Amino acid sequence: MSEQLVAIQRNHFGDIISFQTSTGRVISYRKALQEAEEGIIDGVNIKEGHDGSSYLTPGMISSFDEYPLF
């Protein structure tokens, strides 16, 4: 059964640094990206940036800004 991302944590610059999953786990952004690539986390899209690096976008809403903070 796959998990979803349900909340975010930001640093003082406003960057997302970690996520809370639907099972209550708190994982880093890098771990969330890795688990999304592996199919463990569902409901997100993986995009490629202009610099060639991968990043996450939410699948059903327009922005992670709509996720609650934890």
Side-chain angles (χ1 to χ4, degrees):
M1 183 169 131
S2 59
E3 295 177 74
Q4 287 79 41
L5 302 177
V6 297
I8 60 172
Q9 184 176 34
R10 295 183 180 274
N11 65 15
H12 63 280
F13 296 113
D15 302 321
I16 297 172
I17 57 171
S18 55
F19 291 96
Q20 184 175 23
T21 70
S22 54
T23 63
R25 291 188 307 136
V26 174
I27 57 175
S28 69
Y29 188 98
R30 291 175 83 91
K31 181 74 171 168
L33 181 61
Q34 177 187 0
E35 290 190 7
E37 289 171 338
E38 294 171 357
I40 298 168
I41 292 180
D42 197 13
V44 293
N45 299 313
I46 301 167
K47 305 276 184 166
E48 188 172 317
H50 297 293
D51 62 357
S53 64
S54 297
Y55 65 96
L56 293 170
T57 62
M60 300 301 273
I61 59 174
S62 60
S63 169
F64 283 121
D65 292 340
E66 297 182 37
Y67 282 50
L69 299 174
F70 71 93

